[in-house]
mmCIF file of all heavy atoms in Angstrom:
data_model
loop_
_atom_site.group_PDB
_atom_site.id
_atom_site.type_symbol
_atom_site.label_atom_id
_atom_site.label_comp_id
_atom_site.label_asym_id
_atom_site.label_seq_id
_atom_site.Cartn_x
_atom_site.Cartn_y
_atom_site.Cartn_z
ATOM 1 N N ALA F 93 -16.605 -34.429 -58.184
ATOM 2 C CA ALA F 93 -18.204 -34.440 -58.353
ATOM 3 C C ALA F 93 -18.456 -34.249 -59.796
ATOM 4 O O ALA F 93 -17.663 -33.496 -60.480
ATOM 5 C CB ALA F 93 -18.760 -33.314 -57.583
ATOM 6 N N GLN F 94 -19.420 -34.957 -60.411
ATOM 7 C CA GLN F 94 -19.721 -34.842 -61.863
ATOM 8 C C GLN F 94 -21.040 -34.115 -61.958
ATOM 9 O O GLN F 94 -21.990 -34.198 -61.255
ATOM 10 C CB GLN F 94 -19.760 -36.114 -62.470
ATOM 11 C CG GLN F 94 -18.556 -36.773 -62.786
ATOM 12 C CD GLN F 94 -18.557 -38.013 -63.616
ATOM 13 O OE1 GLN F 94 -19.330 -38.799 -63.480
ATOM 14 N NE2 GLN F 94 -17.690 -37.989 -64.554
ATOM 15 N N PHE F 95 -21.080 -33.149 -63.060
ATOM 16 C CA PHE F 95 -22.207 -32.360 -63.309
ATOM 17 C C PHE F 95 -22.503 -32.435 -64.731
ATOM 18 O O PHE F 95 -21.718 -32.633 -65.562
ATOM 19 C CB PHE F 95 -21.943 -30.867 -62.914
ATOM 20 C CG PHE F 95 -21.463 -30.566 -61.522
ATOM 21 C CD1 PHE F 95 -20.111 -30.690 -61.192
ATOM 22 C CD2 PHE F 95 -22.373 -30.329 -60.652
ATOM 23 C CE1 PHE F 95 -19.772 -30.578 -59.855
ATOM 24 C CE2 PHE F 95 -22.014 -30.175 -59.257
ATOM 25 C CZ PHE F 95 -20.648 -30.178 -58.864
ATOM 26 N N PRO F 96 -23.859 -32.055 -65.177
ATOM 27 C CA PRO F 96 -24.112 -31.989 -66.555
ATOM 28 C C PRO F 96 -23.252 -30.729 -67.109
ATOM 29 O O PRO F 96 -23.044 -29.766 -66.411
ATOM 30 C CB PRO F 96 -25.522 -31.491 -66.615
ATOM 31 C CG PRO F 96 -26.151 -31.875 -65.334
ATOM 32 C CD PRO F 96 -25.004 -31.886 -64.347
ATOM 33 N N ALA F 97 -22.794 -30.859 -68.215
ATOM 34 C CA ALA F 97 -21.913 -29.700 -68.881
ATOM 35 C C ALA F 97 -22.750 -28.529 -69.144
ATOM 36 O O ALA F 97 -23.756 -28.618 -69.876
ATOM 37 C CB ALA F 97 -21.014 -30.212 -69.952
ATOM 38 N N PRO F 98 -22.275 -27.381 -68.864
ATOM 39 C CA PRO F 98 -22.967 -26.157 -69.426
ATOM 40 C C PRO F 98 -22.725 -26.104 -70.957
ATOM 41 O O PRO F 98 -21.883 -26.879 -71.478
ATOM 42 C CB PRO F 98 -22.166 -25.026 -68.707
ATOM 43 C CG PRO F 98 -21.478 -25.540 -67.696
ATOM 44 C CD PRO F 98 -21.323 -27.010 -68.035
ATOM 45 N N PRO F 99 -23.414 -25.241 -71.701
ATOM 46 C CA PRO F 99 -23.199 -25.124 -73.111
ATOM 47 C C PRO F 99 -21.726 -25.061 -73.440
ATOM 48 O O PRO F 99 -20.954 -24.365 -72.896
ATOM 49 C CB PRO F 99 -24.057 -23.903 -73.568
ATOM 50 C CG PRO F 99 -24.965 -23.699 -72.386
ATOM 51 C CD PRO F 99 -24.297 -24.215 -71.160
ATOM 52 N N GLU F 100 -21.448 -25.488 -74.704
ATOM 53 C CA GLU F 100 -20.087 -25.225 -75.263
ATOM 54 C C GLU F 100 -19.756 -23.746 -75.344
ATOM 55 O O GLU F 100 -20.750 -22.794 -75.480
ATOM 56 C CB GLU F 100 -20.007 -25.701 -76.685
ATOM 57 C CG GLU F 100 -20.107 -27.294 -76.939
ATOM 58 C CD GLU F 100 -18.784 -27.931 -76.286
ATOM 59 O OE1 GLU F 100 -17.750 -27.394 -76.355
ATOM 60 O OE2 GLU F 100 -18.983 -29.115 -75.789
ATOM 61 N N GLY F 101 -18.597 -23.388 -74.925
ATOM 62 C CA GLY F 101 -18.227 -21.931 -74.923
ATOM 63 C C GLY F 101 -18.274 -21.351 -73.551
ATOM 64 O O GLY F 101 -17.718 -20.428 -73.215
ATOM 65 N N THR F 102 -19.034 -22.078 -72.600
ATOM 66 C CA THR F 102 -19.070 -21.606 -71.188
ATOM 67 C C THR F 102 -17.845 -22.070 -70.542
ATOM 68 O O THR F 102 -17.705 -23.378 -70.397
ATOM 69 C CB THR F 102 -20.446 -22.054 -70.636
ATOM 70 O OG1 THR F 102 -21.570 -21.590 -71.182
ATOM 71 C CG2 THR F 102 -20.464 -21.636 -69.075
ATOM 72 N N THR F 103 -16.938 -21.293 -70.161
ATOM 73 C CA THR F 103 -15.792 -21.697 -69.476
ATOM 74 C C THR F 103 -15.730 -21.337 -67.915
ATOM 75 O O THR F 103 -14.848 -21.863 -67.225
ATOM 76 C CB THR F 103 -14.508 -21.321 -70.211
ATOM 77 O OG1 THR F 103 -14.666 -19.819 -70.270
ATOM 78 C CG2 THR F 103 -14.491 -21.888 -71.623
ATOM 79 N N GLU F 104 -16.507 -20.396 -67.690
ATOM 80 C CA GLU F 104 -16.508 -19.798 -66.245
ATOM 81 C C GLU F 104 -17.751 -20.216 -65.471
ATOM 82 O O GLU F 104 -18.875 -19.758 -65.980
ATOM 83 C CB GLU F 104 -16.113 -18.428 -66.094
ATOM 84 C CG GLU F 104 -14.658 -18.083 -66.674
ATOM 85 C CD GLU F 104 -14.356 -16.610 -66.555
ATOM 86 O OE1 GLU F 104 -15.025 -15.848 -65.746
ATOM 87 O OE2 GLU F 104 -13.357 -16.229 -67.196
#
Side-chain angles (χ1 to χ4, degrees):
Q94 286 191 313
F95 302 88
E100 292 289 331
T102 300
T103 58
E104 293 185 18

